Amino acid sequence: LCFPQKLWKILESDQFRSIWWSEGGQCVAINEVLFSEEVLGRVFATQKMGSFIRQLNIYGFTKVQPDFQRSASLPEFLAEEAAASSHSKV
């Protein structure tokens, strides 16, 4: 499989806890430490996070601006996403 297909499969899988979609599907969040342990080297040919990030950049992914900090834990991330979404509707 090519990089985007592998990325899609791991994002859609319940097998991995280190990477997930934001609630609205607009962002991908990655817990780098856990991701390095459970995904890199097993699913992708590299074991270096920098190489994985370069691949993301090639396919148009960009890092969220530094002033837009998000939690690395999935439950906190989803709660923050929901709060930001409801705030923008007011």
Side-chain angles (χ1 to χ4, degrees):
L1 298 173
C2 65
F3 181 84
Q5 291 172 321
K6 288 179 185 179
L7 181 61
W8 179 263
K9 281 190 169 270
I10 64 170
L11 280 162
E12 293 296 310
S13 171
D14 293 334
Q15 180 181 356
F16 303 102
R17 298 174 300 132
S18 60
I19 185 168
W20 59 90
W21 290 110
S22 67
E23 187 174 316
Q26 298 289 323
C27 299
V28 173
I30 301 172
N31 177 319
E32 289 188 38
V33 174
L34 186 56
F35 187 79
S36 293
E37 294 171 8
E38 72 176 9
V39 177
L40 295 182
R42 288 182 46 206
V43 177
F44 296 101
T46 185
Q47 293 184 345
K48 297 180 180 178
M49 193 65 187
S51 297
F52 177 77
I53 290 171
R54 276 191 291 284
Q55 283 290 310
L56 289 173
N57 292 335
I58 288 170
Y59 287 97
F61 287 84
T62 58
K63 192 171 189 174
V64 175
Q65 297 302 319
D67 62 333
F68 190 63
Q69 295 294 318
R70 293 294 183 124
S71 297
S73 80
L74 181 57
E76 289 175 15
F77 179 84
L78 294 175
E80 290 172 5
E81 180 77 10
S85 177
S86 64
H87 178 65
S88 66
K89 292 177 184 175
V90 176

